[in-house]
Amino acid sequence: MAEQHELRDKGLRLTPQRELVLSAVRELGHATPEEVAEKVRATHPGINLSTVYRNLETLENVGLVQHTHLGHGGATYHASEVLTHLHLVCGTCGSVGDAPIDVAANFVQNLADDYGFKTDVSHFAIYGLCAACVK
Amino acid sequence: MAEQHELRDKGLRLTPQRELVLSAVRELGHATPEEVAEKVRATHPGINLSTVYRNLETLENVGLVQHTHLGHGGATYHASEVLTHLHLVCGTCGSVGDAPIDVAANFVQNLADDYGFKTDVSHFAIYGLCAACVK
DNA sequence: CGCTAGTTGCGAAATATTCGCAAGTAGCAG
DNA sequence: CTGCTACTTGCGAATATTTCGCAACTAGCG
């Protein structure tokens, strides 16, 4: 079966908590540690916040999830697979929009050409005013 | 003299603490609230951290300073005048480089054209790997 | 079946930031 | 120059967020 555990592959132990954290991140698309914990608790009530934090960190180390900074303070986690878009955060209404990563291709290229800087565009959100608030 | 207090102009009271916070931000270029407090304390020891936070917030409201997200959690404040560059944060070595804002002009334009999103490029740092770490 | 090391739970500790409240003072009017 | 009022400050406590220590637990392996 192709179902060789990806967690095992990464050299991690396959614990129910760990799987739950990973699938919670995947289902939520993007979520704060607290939201992940909440989601996980829906099916496995006894889980501890510390465990969520530790697993998020662990999963990040092996590259299965990544975090982005959307707003003030709170980091937001994504499954790596879905990291194909930018986050457009509106400073006025607080909404978070998406944009395909290629609108930034040009920008990333500039940075690479002129500064040798290899940009990870999606790590930080793009801040500004959404179309609705511009009006 | 042209020295009409800019703080007064904005409808704020001119308190020594407030002036100190503002000039600390200007001198430091970019700094966390804690660094600002430290700087301010050099000349005015009795100042309170809460006061720094409150003044930073107040100054931001009237547009004299702005904050940017450079790393995990801590906001970093700038005087508005110097906000003419992007921050290139290296995820590996932690260095913060600058780039003129126009390397992003194209990108900003794309976002405006396609999404009506008015981007404030400098609010969030650009994350990636600096030239040195790419190697 | 039994071992060993990686994990979990839990509460405490470390940080970062915000708030309430009483005392202090800048700016304005008289 | 004097007094008044509202905006500010200091300070400590309250929150929020994330990290740690430690003992108990268990996944994976022989």
Side-chain angles (χ1 to χ4, degrees):
Chain A
M1 29 23 326
E3 244 314 9
Q4 42 179 348
H5 276 290
E6 48 190 341
L7 293 176
R8 297 293 313 285
D9 277 1
K10 302 288 183 175
L12 297 177
R13 259 202 219 171
L14 186 58
T15 65
Q17 293 88 336
R18 194 160 285 169
E19 281 191 291
L20 282 163
V21 168
L22 179 55
S23 65
V25 171
R26 284 181 172 153
E27 284 178 51
L28 291 169
H30 47 74
T32 61
E34 222 183 295
E35 290 169 329
V36 172
E38 209 175 303
K39 175 86 183 175
V40 171
R41 280 182 178 138
T43 54
H44 186 137
I47 224 165
N48 196 284
L49 230 199
S50 310
T51 301
V52 173
Y53 274 101
R54 280 185 295 218
N55 278 328
L56 248 14
E57 195 186 311
T58 304
L59 293 172
E60 191 163 18
N61 281 336
V62 297
L64 286 172
V65 306
Q66 289 181 32
H67 72 267
T68 300
H69 300 276
L70 249 44
H72 295 191
T76 304
Y77 286 81
H78 301 244
S80 298
E81 305 96 81
V82 304
L83 263 193
T84 52
H85 57 277
L86 301 177
H87 297 107
L88 267 26
V89 177
C90 175
T92 301
C93 68
S95 67
V96 179
D98 292 336
I101 227 154
D102 26 286
V103 296
N106 205 296
F107 172 47
V108 171
Q109 195 56 53
N110 284 347
L111 250 22
D113 290 349
D114 300 351
Y115 302 88
F117 191 85
K118 187 171 171 310
T119 309
D120 172 6
V121 233
S122 53
H123 188 81
F124 279 103
I126 308 300
Y127 183 88
L129 256 38
C130 68
C133 292
V134 166
K135 289 187 287 202
Chain B
M1 52 253 103
E3 245 314 9
Q4 43 180 347
H5 276 290
E6 48 192 340
L7 292 177
R8 297 293 312 285
D9 276 2
K10 302 288 182 175
L12 297 177
R13 260 201 216 172
L14 186 58
T15 65
Q17 293 88 335
R18 193 161 287 169
E19 282 191 291
L20 283 163
V21 168
L22 179 55
S23 65
V25 171
R26 284 182 172 153
E27 284 177 52
L28 292 169
H30 47 74
T32 60
E34 221 182 296
E35 290 169 328
V36 172
E38 208 176 304
K39 174 87 183 173
V40 170
R41 280 182 178 139
T43 54
H44 187 137
I47 223 165
N48 196 285
L49 231 199
S50 311
T51 302
V52 173
Y53 274 101
R54 281 184 294 218
N55 278 327
L56 248 14
E57 194 187 312
T58 305
L59 292 173
E60 191 163 18
N61 282 337
V62 297
L64 286 171
V65 305
Q66 290 180 32
H67 72 267
T68 299
H69 300 276
L70 250 43
H72 294 190
T76 304
Y77 287 80
H78 301 246
S80 299
E81 305 95 82
V82 303
L83 262 193
T84 53
H85 57 280
L86 303 177
H87 297 108
L88 267 26
V89 176
C90 176
T92 301
C93 69
S95 68
V96 179
D98 291 338
I101 227 154
D102 27 287
V103 297
N106 205 297
F107 172 47
V108 172
Q109 195 56 53
N110 283 348
L111 251 23
D113 290 349
D114 300 350
Y115 301 89
F117 191 85
K118 187 171 170 308
T119 309
D120 172 5
V121 232
S122 53
H123 189 81
F124 280 102
I126 308 300
Y127 184 88
L129 256 37
C130 70
C133 291
V134 166
K135 289 186 288 204

